[in-house]
Amino acid sequence: MPLEIVRNDITKMSVDAIVNAANTTLLGGGGVDGAIHRAAGPQLLEECRKLHGCRTGEAKITCGYHLPCRYVIHTAGPIWQDGHHGERELLTSCYRNSLELADKYHCESVAFPLISSGVYGYPKAQALKVAMDTITQFLLDHDMTVYIVVFSKDAFEVSSKLFKDIEAYIDDVYVDEHLSAPRESMRMRLQSRYLGKAKAYDAAPEPEARSTPILAPQALLDDMLNQVDESFAQMLIRMIDEKHMTDAQCYKRANVDRRLFNKIKNIPDYKPSKQTALAFAIALELSLNETKDMLMKAGFALSHSSKADIVVEYCIMTGNYDIMEINQILFKLDLQPLGY
Ligand code: ADP
């Protein structure tokens, strides 16, 4: 997946480069900076001394030493004052310059902490938005896997209004189906649903049986096999055309890796994972029915027994097709993100 939010200690990330939320001296500090220096060993500080500091918004690179990454990219984030002192632009520069440096050093995977969101006081939800927006923009024309590493879930704040709305929706549909309905009434509901159906089937005439010519079993099977529906890949390509998108626009909006997209496109029977199928539905801004149709072609269904499905359903129903925002919600709820 090109952009992924993960919960981890950044010093444990096995990537080409990790980014350090450093201060302008580059001579070490607390928070993530301290953790990185401790894990890398004293040679990191020795190399940092030779860099003669780093201005706010800029980025410099060193080796990773004892860390499991090849490089550490040091960037100095802005100190939050009131939001009217260029904080956003400076934080954007931190991400942009770090990514450009990573690209220059041929890094294929990079992990960021939430820069400035600790001691420097940048409001966390806003800091996360700057990170997501800047990285997404960069990935539009670069192939790289980028991780936003959050230390604890408490450090991670999604826009509270959206989150509350989604939680309320989950309570409505998920909790209702799973917890609050007494077993007996659930059993009755199920019984009447299926008994009702069974009766309807009993009573219904069989029009097809009369109007379809009678075929021998093998011929019938052959006939049915000749009428196989449009495949997932065919529907995907058709929808990309109908929405006047390019392939790249689609897989980037879906947060899906280019190689995976090509695999889906070129292997006719390829069945993507549910997260990937849903990611394409979001990227293509499909309606709920179209989404269900697309999922079915990959062998899946939207289910109210799955919280992740309810989140996606809610987002589609409210016209929220921002995959990064959806993934933030899924992350916050400990659910698997969309894309691959
Ligand atoms: P800043 O001074 O830029 O605010 P901090 O180090 O105080 O930097 O915090 C930046 C973010 O990094 C915070 O959200 C903090 O929770 C997080 N953080 C601290 N230690 C780690 C770590 N080991 N791995 C990942 N994130 C961390």
Side-chain angles (χ1 to χ4, degrees), residues 8-11 21-22 30-33 35 77 113-121 124 149-151 155:
N8 202 348
D9 175 344
I10 201 163
T11 63
V32 74
D33 193 4
L114 271 184
I115 302 164
S116 285
S117 75
V119 177
Y120 281 3
K124 288 197 166 66
V149 183
V150 296
F151 206 28

Side-chain angles (χ1 to χ4, degrees), residues 187-203:
R187 195 174 60 77
M188 299 281 281
R189 267 194 351 232
L190 288 172
Q191 239 174 22
S192 71
R193 197 183 292 168
Y194 291 114
L195 284 177
K197 264 198 191 144
K199 277 192 191 129
Y201 288 140
D202 285 347

Side-chain angles (χ1 to χ4, degrees), residues 88-325:
R88 191 180 197 290
E89 292 72 21
L90 287 167
L91 189 56
T92 302
S93 298
C94 287
Y95 284 100
R96 183 89 212 168
N97 287 327
S98 301
L99 287 165
E100 273 163 10
L101 202 49
D103 188 46
K104 191 170 152 197
Y105 279 76
H106 309 290
C107 296
E108 289 180 359
S109 53
V110 181
F112 282 92
L114 271 184
I115 302 164
S116 285
S117 75
V119 177
Y120 281 3
Y122 209 107
K124 288 197 166 66
Q126 290 181 48
L128 177 66
K129 177 140 180 40
V130 174
M132 298 284 260
D133 288 353
T134 316
I135 296 167
T136 308
Q137 190 62 34
F138 180 84
L139 291 176
L140 289 180
D141 38 39
H142 295 84
D143 275 338
M144 200 184 267
T145 301
V146 181
Y147 299 93
I148 295 180
V149 183
V150 296
F151 206 28
S152 67
K153 213 161 50 150
D154 303 341
F156 183 84
E157 283 171 17
V158 185
S159 152
S160 58
K161 161 93 177 72
L162 176 65
F163 192 65
K164 283 204 183 89
D165 289 349
I166 291 188
E167 276 192 319
Y169 187 68
I170 290 177
D171 280 352
D172 279 355
V173 292
Y174 182 84
V175 178
D176 188 39
E177 283 207 0
H178 285 75
L179 306 174
S180 47
R183 273 165 191 256
E184 185 56 17
S185 84
M186 180 112 77
R187 195 174 60 77
M188 299 281 281
R189 267 194 351 232
L190 288 172
Q191 239 174 22
S192 71
R193 197 183 292 168
Y194 291 114
L195 284 177
K197 264 198 191 144
K199 277 192 191 129
Y201 288 140
D202 285 347
E206 294 172 3
E208 287 92 339
R210 254 171 263 136
S211 57
T212 325
I214 299 162
L215 296 170
Q218 184 57 47
L220 178 63
L221 180 61
D222 291 345
D223 194 44
M224 286 170 80
L225 287 174
N226 282 334
Q227 293 175 32
V228 172
D229 257 4
E230 182 187 46
S231 70
F232 177 84
Q234 284 165 335
M235 179 172 181
L236 177 63
I237 291 158
R238 174 171 63 80
M239 294 308 291
I240 291 175
D241 288 346
E242 280 179 22
K243 302 274 174 174
H244 305 293
M245 278 177 146
T246 62
D247 288 357
Q249 278 168 338
C250 178
Y251 67 72
K252 296 223 174 209
R253 286 191 59 176
N255 198 29
V256 167
D257 184 81
R258 176 173 49 85
R259 280 160 294 199
L260 175 61
F261 178 82
N262 286 335
K263 211 192 258 181
I264 294 172
K265 209 176 149 183
N266 297 325
I267 305 176
D269 290 334
Y270 187 87
K271 292 269 186 278
S273 69
K274 189 169 178 182
Q275 277 69 27
T276 305
L278 278 174
F280 281 119
I282 295 295
L284 290 159
E285 302 196 357
L286 301 188
S287 68
L288 200 53
N289 280 338
E290 289 169 329
T291 302
K292 287 176 180 168
D293 197 20
M294 184 170 244
L295 272 185
M296 205 163 67
K297 293 185 186 303
F300 302 110
L302 271 185
S303 157
H304 279 182
S305 302
S306 149
K307 283 191 185 180
D309 287 8
I310 296 170
V311 171
V312 176
E313 179 178 296
Y314 177 86
C315 291
I316 292 174
M317 280 173 17
T318 53
N320 182 350
Y321 289 102
D322 182 340
I323 199 150
M324 294 307 162
E325 201 164 282

Side-chain angles (χ1 to χ4, degrees), residues 6-69:
V6 294
R7 191 170 332 135
N8 202 348
D9 175 344
I10 201 163
T11 63
K12 306 275 190 297
M13 294 291 292
S14 295
V15 283
D16 291 333
I18 64 168
V19 176
N20 180 15
N23 56 44
T24 51
T25 67
L26 295 189
L27 298 178
V32 74
D33 193 4
I36 289 174
H37 275 275
R38 275 193 301 279
Q43 286 160 297
L44 180 62
L45 185 59
E46 273 171 40
E47 190 179 349
C48 280
R49 279 191 216 286
K50 297 180 193 142
L51 297 177
H52 307 295
C54 172
R55 279 189 297 207
T56 305
E58 293 184 354
K60 296 197 173 173
I61 195 162
T62 63
C63 295
Y65 300 99
H66 295 306
L67 288 161
C69 55

